Amino acid sequence: MHGSVSDPLLDTMNFLNEITLRYPDAISFAPGRPYDGFFDIEQIFEHLRRYLDRLVEQGVGPQQLRAQMYQYGPTAGFIRQELADWLRDDEDIDVPAESIVVTVGAQEAMLLVLRALVAGPDDVVLVASPCYVGITGAARVLDIPVTPVEERADGFHCADLEAAIKAEKANGRRPRAFYVVPEHSNPGGTTMDLAARRELLEVAARHDVLVLEDTPYRLVSPGERLPTLKSLDRTRSVVHLGSFSKTLFPGARGGFAIADQVVVDDAGGTGLLADELAKIKSMVTVNTPSLSQAAVAGALLAGKLSELNAESADYYGDAMRSVLEHLDLRLPADRRAALGVSWNAPTGGFFLAMRVPFRADNAALTRSAQDFGVIWTPMQHFYPGDGGHHGIRLSTSYLTPAEIAEGTTRLARFIEAESERHTENT
Amino acid sequence: MHGSVSDPLLDTMNFLNEITLRYPDAISFAPGRPYDGFFDIEQIFEHLRRYLDRLVEQGVGPQQLRAQMYQYGPTAGFIRQELADWLRDDEDIDVPAESIVVTVGAQEAMLLVLRALVAGPDDVVLVASPCYVGITGAARVLDIPVTPVEERADGFHCADLEAAIKAEKANGRRPRAFYVVPEHSNPGGTTMDLAARRELLEVAARHDVLVLEDTPYRLVSPGERLPTLKSLDRTRSVVHLGSFSKTLFPGARGGFAIADQVVVDDAGGTGLLADELAKIKSMVTVNTPSLSQAAVAGALLAGKLSELNAESADYYGDAMRSVLEHLDLRLPADRRAALGVSWNAPTGGFFLAMRVPFRADNAALTRSAQDFGVIWTPMQHFYPGDGGHHGIRLSTSYLTPAEIAEGTTRLARFIEAESERHTENT
């Protein structure tokens, strides 16, 4: 009998899974999964074949082809040049292939970056809060302390980051990096405008703090794309984390990190942070599976990834707009003002954030699922510290139009009832 | 500019890579790669198709099939039942599917197990030494201390393990696990006999230490298979680590852990260690890529894995025997006795261990590559502590018969010259 790895967040995720299983007829605004109506099982074979055919066209012989797909491969991946070409053409990010490390999803990239940057007990990582559970999870695996920088209602403010950096330094700690999802964040649904992006880069350079830019929803959101932090980065202050889970499919576990920072080794030699990430990766997964890499590269050969995802982006944009419209119908402005309910209105991404007058905790979620047939995620689970007790995350990516219509009706009923209950109790 | 992740072992691996690049005409006994003459690029498509066809035969509909291959999947994997069936039929290991976690190679399994078992600064992990660099690497990523248990010339002795456990306990530390490759170990080429296996299980149960059993070379070695520690385990003292890198192909990164130990959580509830591993995996790679899982399951559908690997096992057995025969020709018994050279004679696996009278360090390796055109791995790199200065690891898996004949000739010349050099210097 051995002691368990205790983890409040995972306990909560388990709780959500249990609720979902216990109330199978409930409509769920919880899972942040991509809509899979666009997927066709034959695409797997097509992507792989397209990539292998291209290698043959390029003169790669059978033996070399076999070695690439079957043998242990380079730790940083064999599709780095393909990723560098795509990033330059589609994302205006111009970096050498050597600065890229291909990873098993962006999750592994987070783990590698945290491990590389945090060397001692005084090193800390800052995160925009509420924040994606992947980064706090990776930090927990490595026992790395995380300092939250609270978002305001309109998102993250650079002044708050700078204050947090100064407070950490005043306490003798060394802030190493700041994690942020600049557009359509999970769970907050917030997006940094261009001025905020430039300001963030200035703050980062001034304090020698790296920005960890995570970008899962960029290419599956409609409308104008703001430039990535990495494309604006002139001081190598940004480590860019990428995921193909939404643009290709989650099962491939395709991810990468761009880490073009110069590092100094013990012997005084210099190399790239990417090399350090690859070293650590050799002790985590050795290399990213060849099939995953080939599937990603094959998909990139089919066209510009942003254009291939235009249909998905429209779909997700429509879903988000539909949820917002239905919510406005069920809880019009005057009604929600009277109740003390509000929500933001993202133009893309998978999530929106709602504020309610009652405690949106596991007990409230259970009542919601049992009595009203609707499931959502308590926002407090995304706060590394304390907070979010009156917040609800709604995911809009996975539901059909009919489910959105019915789900928002149920949600409005739950909110009305819970608000009344709250008023009686206070 | 950020500080580098310093690592003597990785520096050495880099040195080996450099040597290999600098002397491309040298014959290398260094890489532990599988021979890839058996691979055919179409097998990838066949394995995937075979698995998907089976799902369809079993009544899995298109939507469910799409979800399984494309969506985020269960953290512990979707081929656990297939692995449980194979382990029962082919390896006499009878465990429920729930005790299995599918991982990105055995490397990720090592990381997960170490993270789950080591909770505090007094927890230590013991390893048979010299040992596989994957386990010490995973420990290094997690800053977990490793205590070596020195192998003797004929391999690992349980009495030495028990003494090490007692010494750790006397120092107030808590030995949590002992890592060992019971057959055809890397780098030592040693195999534990049945009596030693039973004794190890007794020692483990007596001291409440888990045995981490790693088995990469079992099914690709000729001759009778001794029972795995896991198949002999009646006290749930063994966590079994599995890899398909040699039995299928390394690029798939197919691996798994069997962890049927009962653990107690903070609330007093019980679960399996496998559940804990899955929780940690959700923060490392989220889930093993669907393509890798499908390739493994598709291969298992093609027949019994041990039988599918009979040809490979014969090939590797022949290669090992050929290296041993050629070495004996080049350095007959009386000659090597005079020089103070010896080696063991594994019947399988990829590696044999040689003892030489001179220091087999990076400088000697450079002379060997430059002046004699032959490359090998200094054994000292596999010692977590100090040791192995007069040891050489020879890999026999990857060379052709012609390369073996020429390579052993060159190696014998190098050993003669270096021994003479050594005699002059002493």
Side-chain angles (χ1 to χ4, degrees), chain A residues 1-7 10-11 14 32-37 39-45 48-49 52 65-67 69-72 104 107-108 111 115-117 137-138 140-143 176 208 210 245-246 249-253 261-266 270 276 279-280 282-292 295 398, chain B residues 1-7 10-11 14 32-37 39-45 48-49 52 65-67 69-72 104 107-108 111 115-117 137-138 140-143 176 208 210 245-246 249-253 261-266 270 276 279-280 282-292 295 398:
Chain A
M1 303 279 268
H2 300 267
S4 165
V5 178
S6 168
D7 190 287
L10 287 171
D11 291 347
N14 283 339
R33 316 179 94 191
Y35 171 70
D36 54 20
F39 299 151
D40 176 326
I41 205 75
E42 290 304 311
Q43 285 168 345
I44 292 175
F45 295 92
L48 293 175
R49 187 67 75 185
L52 293 173
L65 204 63
R66 273 206 319 256
M69 292 303 291
Y70 284 110
Q71 282 287 11
Y72 292 103
V104 183
Q107 185 62 40
E108 190 193 23
L111 187 87
R115 181 63 182 80
L117 295 180
R140 200 170 308 112
V141 168
L142 298 169
D143 281 328
R176 298 288 281 143
D208 194 23
L210 288 178
S245 287
K246 279 78 188 180
F249 58 92
R253 311 299 309 119
Q261 288 71 26
V262 176
V263 295
V264 184
D265 64 24
D266 291 346
T270 57
E276 303 297 313
K279 282 185 195 172
I280 300 166
S282 75
M283 305 180 271
V284 176
T285 58
V286 181
N287 55 243
T288 300
S290 61
L291 298 173
S292 299
Y398 193 67
Chain B
M1 304 279 267
H2 300 266
S4 166
V5 179
S6 167
D7 190 289
L10 288 170
D11 292 347
N14 283 341
R33 316 180 93 191
Y35 171 71
D36 54 21
F39 299 151
D40 176 324
I41 206 74
E42 291 304 311
Q43 283 166 346
I44 292 175
F45 295 92
L48 292 175
R49 188 66 75 184
L52 294 174
L65 203 65
R66 275 206 318 255
M69 292 303 292
Y70 284 111
Q71 282 287 9
Y72 293 104
V104 182
Q107 185 63 40
E108 190 193 23
L111 187 86
R115 181 62 182 81
L117 294 180
R140 200 171 308 111
V141 168
L142 297 170
D143 281 328
R176 298 288 282 144
D208 194 22
L210 288 178
S245 286
K246 280 76 188 182
F249 58 91
R253 311 299 309 118
Q261 287 70 27
V262 175
V263 295
V264 183
D265 64 24
D266 292 346
T270 57
E276 303 297 312
K279 283 184 196 175
I280 300 166
S282 75
M283 303 182 269
V284 175
T285 57
V286 182
N287 54 246
T288 299
S290 60
L291 299 173
S292 299
Y398 194 67

Side-chain angles (χ1 to χ4, degrees), chain B residues 385-403:
Chain B
D386 192 46
H389 298 292
H390 294 86
I392 280 177
R393 186 191 79 169
L394 297 182
S395 169
T396 64
S397 61
Y398 194 67
L399 297 176
T400 62
E403 289 170 328

Side-chain angles (χ1 to χ4, degrees), chain B residues 93-111:
Chain B
I93 294 175
D94 194 358
V95 290
E98 293 72 40
S99 67
I100 298 173
V101 178
V102 186
T103 56
V104 182
Q107 185 63 40
E108 190 193 23
M110 292 178 204
L111 187 86

Side-chain angles (χ1 to χ4, degrees), chain A residues 239-263:
Chain A
V239 174
H240 181 97
L241 307 171
S243 165
F244 294 101
S245 287
K246 279 78 188 180
T247 52
L248 185 56
F249 58 92
R253 311 299 309 119
F256 64 94
I258 305 173
D260 58 354
Q261 288 71 26
V262 176
V263 295

Side-chain angles (χ1 to χ4, degrees), chain B residues 295-318:
Chain B
V296 167
L300 292 178
L301 285 171
K304 240 184 194 178
L305 200 61
S306 61
E307 290 167 10
L308 295 173
N309 275 283
E311 193 189 355
S312 304
D314 285 343
Y315 178 89
Y316 291 126
D318 288 348

Side-chain angles (χ1 to χ4, degrees), chain B residues 33-318:
Chain B
R33 316 180 93 191
Y35 171 71
D36 54 21
F38 299 126
F39 299 151
D40 176 324
I41 206 74
E42 291 304 311
Q43 283 166 346
I44 292 175
F45 295 92
E46 289 161 14
H47 291 324
L48 292 175
R49 188 66 75 184
R50 195 183 300 113
Y51 176 64
L52 294 174
D53 286 350
R54 172 62 62 97
L55 291 181
V56 171
E57 279 168 36
Q58 290 172 339
V60 175
Q63 197 183 340
Q64 203 184 332
L65 203 65
R66 275 206 318 255
Q68 178 165 327
M69 292 303 292
Y70 284 111
Q71 282 287 9
Y72 293 104
T75 308
F78 57 69
I79 61 167
R80 299 201 285 176
Q81 189 59 56
E82 287 83 348
L83 295 187
D85 293 343
W86 159 65
L87 286 163
R88 196 181 50 248
D89 296 346
D90 207 6
E91 284 284 34
D92 197 27
I93 294 175
D94 194 358
V95 290
E98 293 72 40
S99 67
I100 298 173
V101 178
V102 186
T103 56
V104 182
Q107 185 63 40
E108 190 193 23
M110 292 178 204
L111 187 86
L112 302 180
V113 171
L114 292 183
R115 181 62 182 81
L117 294 180
V118 176
D122 292 333
D123 291 343
V124 292
V125 171
L126 301 138
V127 296
S129 172
C131 82
Y132 175 54
V133 296
I135 190 75
T136 41
R140 200 171 308 111
V141 168
L142 297 170
D143 281 328
I144 288 175
V146 158
T147 301
V149 179
E150 298 300 326
E151 285 194 359
R152 303 188 198 178
D154 62 344
F156 150 76
H157 281 228
C158 286
D160 298 337
L161 170 63
E162 192 155 25
I165 291 172
K166 287 177 177 168
E168 291 293 342
K169 286 183 174 175
N171 285 325
R173 303 219 279 180
R174 195 165 68 135
R176 298 288 282 144
F178 171 65
Y179 172 88
V180 68
V181 179
E183 54 260 302
H184 311 306
S185 73
N186 175 9
T190 56
T191 294
M192 296 174 68
D193 63 22
L194 187 58
R197 287 170 197 236
R198 294 196 191 281
E199 190 187 351
L200 174 57
L201 292 174
E202 281 169 26
V203 170
R206 196 183 313 141
H207 292 282
D208 194 22
V209 167
L210 288 178
V211 178
L212 312 183
E213 173 184 42
D214 196 6
T215 58
Y217 309 106
R218 261 183 85 69
L219 300 187
V220 292
S221 294
E224 194 202 0
R225 269 184 283 161
L226 286 167
T228 61
L229 293 168
K230 190 65 200 168
S231 69
L232 300 170
D233 180 23
R234 298 292 169 265
T235 52
R236 300 197 186 186
S237 294
V238 178
V239 173
H240 181 96
L241 306 171
S243 164
F244 295 101
S245 286
K246 280 76 188 182
T247 52
L248 184 56
F249 58 91
R253 311 299 309 118
F256 64 94
I258 304 173
D260 58 353
Q261 287 70 27
V262 175
V263 295
V264 183
D265 64 24
D266 292 346
T270 57
L272 292 181
L273 180 59
D275 302 331
E276 303 297 312
L277 301 186
K279 283 184 196 175
I280 300 166
K281 181 175 169 69
S282 75
M283 303 182 269
V284 175
T285 57
V286 182
N287 54 246
T288 299
S290 60
L291 299 173
S292 299
Q293 294 191 67
V296 167
L300 292 178
L301 285 171
K304 240 184 194 178
L305 200 61
S306 61
E307 290 167 10
L308 295 173
N309 275 283
E311 193 189 355
S312 304
D314 285 343
Y315 178 89
Y316 291 126
D318 288 348

Side-chain angles (χ1 to χ4, degrees), chain A residues 110-149:
Chain A
M110 292 178 204
L111 187 87
L112 302 179
V113 171
L114 292 183
R115 181 63 182 80
L117 295 180
V118 176
D122 292 333
D123 291 344
V124 292
V125 172
L126 301 139
V127 297
S129 172
C131 82
Y132 176 53
V133 297
I135 190 74
T136 41
R140 200 170 308 112
V141 168
L142 298 169
D143 281 328
I144 288 175
V146 158
T147 300
V149 180

